[in-house]
Structures are given as structure tokens and as C-alpha cells.
Amino acid sequence: MRMQTMLAHFGEETVHGAVVPPLYLNSLFTANSFDEMKSEAPYRYSRMGNPTTDMLEKKLAALDNGEAAKVFASGMAAVSTALLHFLKQGDHVICSYPIYGGTYAMLSGWMARYGVTCDFVDFRDLDNIRGVLKPNTRMLYTEGYSTMFMDVFDLRGAIAIAREHGLVSVIDNTCATPATLKPLDWGFDVVVHSLSKYLSGHSDLTGGVVVSSQDTIRKLTAIEIGVIGGALPPFDAWLATRGLRTFGLRMKQHGESALRVAALLDGHPQVERVNYPLLPGHPQHELAVSQMSGPTGLLSFELRGGEPAVRKFVDSLHWFKIGVSWGGFESLVYATAIGWQRDEVAGTEYESRVDKLVRLSIGLEDAEDLLEDVEQALAQL
């Protein structure tokens, strides 16, 4: 099956001819006898497994070309569980920057309380990775398409380093999505996503997923899900499955509209830089198109005039609502000057770019309306 056909049908058992599978809201599953309860039955308690969440997990594993998947109550629950599963006291992590804020907070501060250290380096130069390798380095963690500045890096080169040194490789693929990038095919061990964004696409649930080998997901479920929790509720899983049915179609629209918005911004006198490597002419365009099969709907740009110009632009938009998330049907705008982990990029080239950066999440509105909105907001500067 191709992607959209798989999303429409794979993993769904027909019950009474229902086109939409039932929702199993129950918290537990009973048995008919002592021996049946003692057996290795698939369902006992919904924290550990539920037919509705299982259906979603089958689709997500297939979407990423993975063996298995486990869904969580949030993207950060997925990230945290993956970190806690592989890392122990005394381990060292090499993480790319800029990285998602929650991940940065987890690796820069919280994990340090338990003896796990992390170096944040620019993966655009692979020598930066080699330069911080230590005898206790256990994990390489990154994003395939960075959250705010939309950088890409050489996936093959990074994985080669990880394999050479026996590192577990984990990638957050929320921004690029499996519609444009499948990291497991490139050799990554683990992929994490926020379900709250493109995968569900309707801004009505919070969730996350870890996709990996059957063995990793089995152990992660038995240990971390068992003792830490963080499982996705069945209703949210049902909503996510509904959203997945249109994932491929939505991503085409997001990407096509984003390319048009990026082209409008590119070369505009008020715009200093467009951060969208899928745009021809971008310094990373050749690398981006060699790794990503199509455009995504997330881009950023930097305005001349710094924070005052950013404030004026953001407040002049009509269809783009100000919000911290992205990937839904609605167009959103956010500026790092509003709030962002500045300490992550202190002393780097990114530091001077924070106050002038605007991120756009291109929704499913008519592209012409979005273009007119961006154009009129730029005209206010």
C-alpha cells in the first residue's frame, strides 16, 4: 500500500461493517476464568494496551517504516520516555541545537540531576559532533528539520558517526514529518513525534509517539509505560487516527502554500533572511531536497528592524493567529522575541537572530488569502 491508502485502511478491523472503528473507552478488560486472567492476553489495563491505541500504533509504525510504535499523552512524554529508557547515571548525550525547548530543558537541566550530561553542538558541521565525543557518550539526539531556524544537516554523516561509536541515535521528526522524511530508513534507531501537530492536524489533542524496533517498544512498554505511565487515552488515540486519514493530503497543501509564502518573503526589502531550505536559492537547498521528499508547512524568516518590526508585523496579521504550537489546519505565527530559551544559543550565530525571527505555520486556508495577509502586514513596516 502507498501512504494514503495505508492510512485509510491499515490496522483497522471492520466491526459490523462500520467504516469508522469503535472507540474502546474502558479502563480495564475482564477475564472469564482464573487461567484466562493469568494468561498472556493482549488487554488487561488500558495504560498498557487498548484496541483503539493499538490501531493508531500500527498505522504510525507503518507510516515511519518502523517495526512498532508506542503512543503517549504528549510529545514531551514520548521524548522523556525515550531518554529515560536508554540513559543511566554517568551517560553523556550529544544533542543538536537549536532544539525543541522542552527537550533542551530536559537535557540541559533536569537530566543533570541524575548524572546525565549533554553537549549541544551545531550538527551542520559534523566535526562538532566528533569534537565532543567522550568514552561515556551513549546517545546522539537531534531533529531532522530544526524547530525555529529550520536547519538541516547531513543525516548519513551523523548516523555514520553514531554507528562508529556505538551510540543510540534518536531523532525528533515532528517538523519534517514522515510525509517528507523517514529517519529509520536513514539508519536512526528511534524516531519521536508530537502527535499534537501535523500527524493529527486538527489542534484538538495532545499526544506523542516513539517508533523503533519491536524489541525496543516491547521493553519500553513493559518498563517505562508500566512504572512511569504517560499513556495516551483511548479517545485521544481515536482522534489521532481520524486525523491521520487525511495526513498525506494535508501535508501536500501545507507544503505547496508554504513554498508560495516563502517565495513572497524571499527578496522582500523588509526581510533579511528566509529560513526555508526547501526554497530554491537557500544555502541548504541541495542537501534538503536530497533528504526530504517534499516541502513542509513550517518556515521562519528574519525582519530588518528587530523586535519593533516583529511586533508590528505579528500584530498586523489577520489570518495568522499568535500561538506557540503549529501543524494544525489553522495558520499560526510566533516570534522568538515573545519568549524562547535564549541560553541555548548564547554566544552562537543564532543569538543575534532571536529578536528578529518570525515563525509561520502555514495552515489549510486558501493560499491567496495567506499571501495577501503576509503582504499587507509587511506593508505596515
Side-chain angles (χ1 to χ4, degrees), residues 268-306:
H268 191 283
Q270 297 295 333
V271 176
E272 186 173 305
R273 184 200 305 242
V274 178
N275 303 314
Y276 195 57
L278 287 309
L279 184 69
H282 187 281
Q284 290 191 303
H285 179 71
E286 185 176 343
L287 176 61
V289 298
S290 73
Q291 300 182 160
M292 298 172 67
S293 61
T296 180
L298 199 63
L299 63 97
S300 68
F301 63 99
E302 295 160 42
L303 283 170
R304 303 184 192 281

Side-chain angles (χ1 to χ4, degrees), residues 52-66:
T52 304
T53 56
D54 278 6
M55 177 177 62
L56 173 61
E57 287 165 355
K58 289 177 182 177
K59 287 182 184 290
L60 291 169
L63 183 60
D64 254 317
N65 292 339

